[in-house]
Amino acid sequence: MAEEISSSKKRYAIVTGANKGIGYGICRQLASNGITVVLTARNLKRGLEAIESFKGLDFFDNIVFHQLDVVDPSSIASLAEFIRIHYGRLDILVNNAGIGGVDVDVDALRASGYGSGGPDGLHIDWNGILTETYDLAVECLQTNYYGAKRMIEAFLPLLYLSDSPRIVNVSSSMGKLKHIPSEWAKGVLNDSGNLTEERVDEVVNEFLKDFKEGSLKAKDVNFNTGHLTVEEGAESPVRLALLPDDGSSGLFFVRNEVSSFE
């Protein structure tokens, strides 16, 4: 069991989308390091089941559950109020919640060999595996991009109260700019010196426009066919969340290595 930490030095974390997968693993590893972790999930039943699965472990008292839908501003506000009342500040925010934005034939995906020593995601014929719709694309952006943005905006005041605040944003390997077909979009997103929220929104809106015109192609999901175990996938976000105060900041990591956005 992690060494007991005095209340004055206790650290508090939120992990979104944490009832399963990497988010669940991140909660487990943070809690085992003595950090009080708020495990969040959209589905109340699944979130409570996730908490129940930790019973009997020596760090069980370090994990609590709060329902959260990152698409719903009122749900985010409810969580922020819970943190304010019970802990007074936030030290670590892990934005892990994300969806694929596609309907997936899971059996066909597994049959493709992806994640089991077969071809990587760039060399699979996705026809017959993934089905895209405009509504799913909108839902994906609302969760994966705007959801993380809402969380950061809502919790910055509580993070500012921490002596050592951290924000860790988790993405798939398809988050690299090289996987974006539009040279214009890559140019905008890679121009860090002039990048603004308005410019990012412009790229998002152009994506949706291109989608309606049928000029996009589905890419990344894994549905438990990924190359890493849950524990392995959680290790890198946890390492970043626990970096010393003079550690790296504002960088893009591929697992444990600093990488180019491209």
Side-chain angles (χ1 to χ4, degrees), residues 71 98-103 131-147 150 203-219:
V71 173
I99 59 176
V102 292
D103 283 327
T131 302
E132 295 179 293
T133 69
Y134 180 78
D135 288 342
L136 286 173
V138 171
E139 183 184 6
C140 181
L141 288 169
Q142 283 296 323
T143 301
N144 297 7
Y145 170 58
Y146 290 109
R150 291 186 195 98
V203 172
V204 169
N205 292 331
E206 187 69 16
F207 165 82
L208 292 175
K209 174 177 174 291
D210 289 346
F211 190 100
K212 277 190 171 181
E213 296 172 354
S215 59
L216 297 176
K217 188 175 182 179
K219 292 275 178 116

Side-chain angles (χ1 to χ4, degrees), residues 38-50:
V38 181
L39 181 156
T40 71
R42 285 185 299 176
N43 185 285
L44 176 62
K45 180 175 181 290
R46 292 174 183 171
L48 292 175
E49 287 173 348

Side-chain angles (χ1 to χ4, degrees), residues 10 12 36 38 64-66 78-90 158:
K10 189 72 176 178
Y12 306 103
T36 295
V38 181
V64 299
F65 171 70
H66 197 287
S78 174
L79 176 59
E81 182 67 1
F82 174 85
I83 296 294
R84 186 189 67 79
I85 291 173
H86 290 278
Y87 307 128
R89 70 174 192 277
L90 183 66
L158 289 166

Side-chain angles (χ1 to χ4, degrees), residues 1-11 29-36 58-59 61-62:
M1 180 177 181
E3 184 178 348
E4 290 296 326
I5 300 175
S6 68
S7 59
S8 63
K9 294 183 178 179
K10 189 72 176 178
R11 300 179 71 190
Q29 292 183 28
L30 287 175
S32 68
N33 276 278
I35 295 169
T36 295
D58 55 7
F59 53 81
D61 289 343
N62 290 339

Side-chain angles (χ1 to χ4, degrees), residues 70-129:
V70 298
V71 173
D72 182 358
S74 65
S75 180
I76 294 174
S78 174
L79 176 59
E81 182 67 1
F82 174 85
I83 296 294
R84 186 189 67 79
I85 291 173
H86 290 278
Y87 307 128
R89 70 174 192 277
L90 183 66
D91 299 291
I92 300 168
L93 171 61
V94 180
N95 285 312
N96 171 74
I99 59 176
V102 292
D103 283 327
V104 181
D105 184 331
V106 178
D107 291 335
L109 177 64
R110 289 176 176 148
S112 73
Y114 179 58
S116 59
D120 62 33
L122 297 178
H123 298 91
I124 287 179
D125 181 4
W126 293 103
N127 295 326
I129 298 177

